[in-house]
Amino acid sequence: MRLYHFSDDPGIERFEPRPVRVASPRQPGKEWLNGPLVWAIDEAHEFMYLFPRDCPRILIWAKPDTLADDRRSWLGDWRAVAYVERVWLDRLSGETICRYEMPVEGFEDLDDAGMWVARRPVVPIGVAAMSGLDREFAPRGVALRVVDSLKPLKPLWQSSLHVSGIRLRNALDWV
């Protein structure tokens, strides 16, 4: 298994645990997830972070109990779909981000969309600069779908698919 952390900073030698910038409502007993942590994503879910930092996006994939109609309608032959607003396409294709490989030791599996956390500082074991991010999805079996607005996709949360929204506060007309 491989774990990664994505950043626009190419010079990180050590990741220090820090609280999230915008706290999320957490289930009772999980409030610590807003506290000082180092976050990582597993290789199967890394496509969720192949975006410029503040880019709003919606990502979907099938769960074991996903209905065949939802799978066919939304995913087709893709293992996942990433939606991004058209206004972000130039940045998606033009910006460079860094994919830091993290040691697996010391990370805890959150059993949630490939997310892992460490409560101590972490020294990465490697870093790779990635550009032309719009070309990174298809080789991973992920369809990149460019839309004018993410807002019409809000009903996806009522489907039988797994739906993740990231940086939606930056999306056009999201409120």
Side-chain angles (χ1 to χ4, degrees):
M1 182 185 65
R2 297 173 89 175
L3 295 178
Y4 300 108
H5 181 96
F6 290 84
S7 176
D8 53 5
D9 182 346
I12 302 172
E13 294 180 11
R14 177 178 151 126
F15 287 86
E16 296 291 338
R18 63 179 187 183
V20 295
R21 288 185 182 176
V22 178
S24 297
R26 304 288 184 180
Q27 295 175 353
K30 297 285 187 172
E31 298 87 356
W32 62 273
L33 290 172
N34 287 325
L37 299 166
V38 175
W39 289 79
I41 190 80
D42 67 20
E43 190 169 24
H45 296 89
E46 73 172 332
F47 69 90
M48 297 173 64
Y49 294 93
L50 295 173
F51 294 87
R53 177 172 181 78
D54 290 324
C55 179
R57 65 257 195 198
I58 294 176
L59 310 121
I60 62 171
W61 60 87
K63 303 182 292 188
D65 61 345
T66 293
L67 302 173
D69 284 348
D70 281 345
R71 183 186 303 268
R72 188 173 39 261
S73 297
W74 292 99
L75 300 175
D77 293 330
W78 297 96
R79 77 174 182 97
V81 175
Y83 289 94
V84 65
E85 292 174 326
R86 189 170 316 283
V87 298
W88 284 87
L89 192 55
D90 285 344
R91 288 184 62 189
L92 187 64
S93 62
E95 286 192 17
T96 299
I97 62 171
C98 296
R99 181 179 70 184
Y100 287 89
E101 186 162 358
M102 309 297 265
V104 176
E105 301 78 27
F107 277 92
E108 303 170 47
D109 183 1
L110 296 182
D111 197 28
D112 180 19
M115 293 183 286
W116 294 68
V117 294
R119 299 174 195 235
R120 59 161 180 75
V122 178
V123 175
I125 57 178
V127 62
M130 300 178 74
S131 300
L133 299 172
D134 57 322
R135 297 185 307 268
E136 293 289 334
F137 295 91
R140 291 168 169 81
V142 177
L144 177 63
R145 296 191 180 148
V146 180
V147 295
D148 290 328
S149 171
L150 296 173
K151 187 175 182 176
L153 299 171
K154 279 186 176 184
L156 276 170
W157 272 271
Q158 306 309 312
S159 76
S160 64
L161 296 162
H162 173 93
V163 183
S164 286
I166 299 175
R167 302 285 193 266
L168 292 176
R169 67 183 175 276
N170 298 331
L172 299 172
D173 303 321
W174 184 254
V175 265

